[in-house]
Amino acid sequence: MKNSLKIKIDYNNIDGFNGYPSDLMKEYVQSVEEGLDVEKYKSLFEAVSQMKNGEYKTRLSDVIFDMVLNADIRKGYKYNEPSELKEIKALRKPHDFSSVMPDRETLRKKLLGAWTGRACGCLLGKPVECIRSDELIPLLKETDNYPMHKYILSSDITDEVCSRYNFWLKGKCYADTVDGMPVDDDTNYVVLAQRIVEDYGRDFESEDVATAWMKYQSVYSYFTAERTAYINFINCLTPPSSAVYKNVAREWIGAQIRGDYFGYINPGEPEEAAEMAFRDARISHVKNGVYGEMFASAMIACAAVTDSIEDIVLGGLAQIPETSRLYEAVVRILDGYKNGVSVDECFGIIHEAYDEHTDHGWCHTIPNAMIVTAGLLYGGGDFGKSICIAVGMAFDTDCNGATVGSVLGMRNSIDGISECWKKPINGKIRTSIFGSETIDIEQAVDKTLEHIV
């Protein structure tokens, strides 16, 4: 008897974070920015992207992916952006600065500040994650919070206020409705990194990170490049192939939010922090996506041993290629700050360079790293002012608030974070990590100290 069972794929039900045929124009923009010689095929990208979801669109998108994978760098492209550590190191510009290693008790306070600061910055931006500045700024003005200087509260969000915005404001995690930091991928990754170091040691490999991702969280806890990489792991693609295969988000912000813990456990050792960050980032990202995590991790390592914001930023940059778009963009913010560019003018520079109204522009590593840099510089070392500048510039609000909060929390220590910011966190972080649903920050700091050589 003949088996009549037929396998049928529902092409309209493909995961939104892993639908390469639907993301072909994002692939095109990403490829052009990387310097790949694909502009002559723009009409092909457009034509296939407009096809109805189905077998033929999928097959043609496979051909386009193969073209991208094998494309040459176009003539005249001015950046040199490798994704291998040895090549990255060869293109760095060193930065030496005066540093003082804190004693153990001071370091503990700094780590407590870093863990708590990350949660505070994340919570500040979480209710307005995905909002665009053309609605964020009017919302802040309407709620007497412009320039931003405090948490957005549920009491600010009346029915009348909500009626004036397309962005959904109801039922978000507002600071007056939480007891501890709510579940968020930005804080999940710090806890997950600690678990990785605990399980595999400081010499963990990229494959260990991939295994830990599958072991400790559901696929639904990952987004954009991370979701694609996770699915690639399941399909037996190992790093670094897992970062490349049909991954249009390969330079997006996902890795930049994952590197904090490697800075925590390498105080005063930015190179070591960046190398750990590299091993983590390469499972899901390439080029500037990888550099973003290395930059953030190295900044935190520097923040443990210096109060100079400029040295913190330059110490982070010293771990990524001077020949990269990310390096150039961060230096642009730094130079502007030193030459008297105002914070409002800086806002305009960032928004002119990247379009927050596209997924690619909004979520790319580079504009968000520019915002992190701006928050650090224009905040002048003041914790609250710095995270508010970062969140108030829009783009990926919770990610940028978290990174700035982490750097400044390390620099200033827990004593440098006002009670108004710490109170909603209440010393706790909720996560979606199996077996670590609620984290006591004090205990997490004790474990962090054990991981420092």
Side-chain angles (χ1 to χ4, degrees):
M1 182 177 179
K2 186 176 181 180
N3 187 347
S4 60
L5 179 65
K6 294 183 178 180
I7 303 299
K8 185 177 181 180
I9 298 173
D10 184 355
Y11 288 97
N12 292 312
N13 197 35
I14 293 174
D15 183 275
F17 288 114
N18 198 49
Y20 189 78
S22 299
D23 286 337
L24 290 178
M25 293 315 297
K26 295 176 188 174
E27 175 65 270
Y28 175 76
V29 173
Q30 169 63 42
S31 297
V32 170
E33 289 181 0
E34 283 182 90
L36 302 183
D37 188 15
V38 298
E39 292 182 70
K40 55 194 171 187
Y41 303 121
K42 183 178 181 180
S43 60
L44 175 62
F45 280 84
E46 291 174 332
V48 178
S49 70
Q50 292 168 12
M51 291 176 64
K52 179 180 178 181
N53 290 337
E55 180 182 355
Y56 291 121
K57 183 176 183 178
T58 299
R59 286 162 61 182
L60 287 170
S61 73
D62 288 343
V63 173
I64 289 176
F65 172 73
D66 192 51
M67 290 167 52
V68 168
L69 191 64
N70 292 285
D72 293 327
I73 298 295
R74 66 177 178 269
K75 290 183 178 179
Y77 187 68
K78 70 175 184 176
Y79 303 103
N80 185 1
E81 299 176 326
S83 294
E84 294 301 324
L85 186 60
K86 183 178 179 180
E87 297 172 3
I88 290 171
K89 286 185 172 184
L91 296 171
R92 296 177 303 177
K93 180 181 179 180
H95 176 70
D96 296 322
F97 59 93
S98 298
S99 62
V100 177
M101 181 62 68
D103 59 46
R104 200 71 169 175
E105 183 53 36
T106 302
L107 180 57
R108 189 180 191 284
K109 286 186 176 182
K110 283 179 169 287
L111 290 168
L112 188 56
W115 276 89
T116 304
R118 182 163 188 79
C120 294
C122 186
L123 181 60
L124 179 67
K126 188 174 178 64
V128 287
E129 182 183 13
C130 298
I131 199 171
R132 271 43 177 181
S133 60
D134 50 11
E135 289 203 307
L136 176 59
I137 292 174
L139 173 66
L140 294 177
K141 288 180 176 179
E142 183 171 7
T143 55
D144 297 321
N145 195 8
Y146 185 83
M148 197 176 204
H149 57 274
K150 65 182 181 69
Y151 284 121
I152 301 171
L153 304 178
S154 64
S155 54
D156 297 326
I157 308 302
T158 64
D159 289 341
E160 184 179 357
V161 168
C162 289
S163 69
R164 286 191 277 275
Y165 298 93
N166 292 320
F167 184 78
W168 187 255
L169 293 163
K170 287 286 190 179
K172 297 297 182 73
C173 296
Y174 295 106
D176 56 341
T177 65
V178 302
D179 177 26
M181 177 62 210
V183 173
D184 191 280
D185 57 335
D186 292 88
T187 43
N188 282 345
Y189 284 122
V190 188
V191 178
L192 185 57
Q194 184 172 74
R195 183 75 69 85
I196 289 166
V197 174
E198 182 71 7
D199 286 357
Y200 302 104
R202 291 172 58 93
D203 294 327
F204 67 87
E205 297 181 355
S206 299
E207 289 76 11
D208 299 325
V209 178
T211 299
W213 278 25
M214 294 184 286
K215 180 179 179 181
Y216 288 125
Q217 286 194 121
S218 157
V219 65
Y220 297 108
S221 296
Y222 302 93
F223 306 95
T224 62
E226 285 73 20
R227 179 81 64 88
T228 299
Y230 191 107
I231 293 170
N232 286 340
F233 303 154
I234 293 172
N235 289 327
C236 301
L237 286 167
T238 57
S241 297
S242 54
V244 176
Y245 185 71
K246 295 185 177 180
N247 186 0
V248 301
R250 56 190 177 269
E251 282 195 320
W252 289 14
I253 196 176
Q256 187 164 280
I257 69 174
R258 302 198 323 245
D260 293 54
Y261 193 71
F262 309 125
Y264 296 173
I265 63 174
N266 289 290
E269 298 291 341
E271 183 172 13
E272 183 67 21
E275 287 192 20
M276 288 187 179
F278 169 82
R279 298 200 301 270
D280 178 89
R282 70 193 289 268
I283 75 173
S284 57
H285 286 72
V286 302
K287 302 178 182 179
N288 293 276
V290 172
Y291 309 156
E293 182 168 349
M294 298 176 75
F295 172 59
S297 301
M299 281 200 296
I300 292 169
C302 293
V305 296
T306 182
D307 286 340
S308 168
I309 300 297
E310 184 174 337
D311 283 332
I312 290 169
V313 173
L314 290 172
L317 283 179
Q319 300 305 321
I320 70 171
E322 186 186 10
T323 55
S324 66
R325 284 167 283 147
L326 179 59
Y327 193 103
E328 178 184 74
V330 171
V331 168
R332 183 182 183 189
I333 300 302
L334 180 59
D335 286 348
Y337 171 77
K338 292 164 68 175
N339 291 323
V341 171
S342 71
V343 68
D344 289 338
E345 290 170 329
C346 180
F347 176 98
I349 288 169
I350 296 168
H351 281 260
E352 183 179 357
Y354 281 85
D355 184 0
E356 65 175 319
H357 292 91
T358 68
D359 290 341
H360 181 79
W362 176 83
C363 208
H364 199 278
T365 292
I366 294 176
N368 289 290
M370 294 169 82
I371 288 172
V372 166
T373 304
L376 292 171
L377 293 171
Y378 288 93
D382 181 281
F383 178 84
K385 183 178 180 181
S386 300
I387 61 173
C388 284
I389 289 172
V391 172
M393 284 192 171
F395 283 84
D396 203 334
T397 53
D398 64 330
C399 293
N400 297 331
T403 300
V404 171
S406 194
V407 174
L408 265 294
M410 177 68 89
R411 174 189 182 270
N412 298 357
S413 90
I414 191 66
D415 297 333
I417 303 177
S418 299
E419 185 61 28
C420 63
W421 299 113
K422 293 185 287 191
K423 185 176 179 181
I425 304 303
N426 197 22
K428 294 178 288 189
I429 295 175
R430 318 285 186 190
T431 86
S432 58
I433 298 168
F434 306 142
S436 300
E437 286 75 17
T438 299
I439 295 297
D440 179 282
I441 294 177
E442 293 268 6
Q443 293 178 7
V445 168
D446 290 338
K447 179 61 68 176
T448 305
L449 284 165
E450 293 177 13
H451 290 161
I452 297 173
V453 174

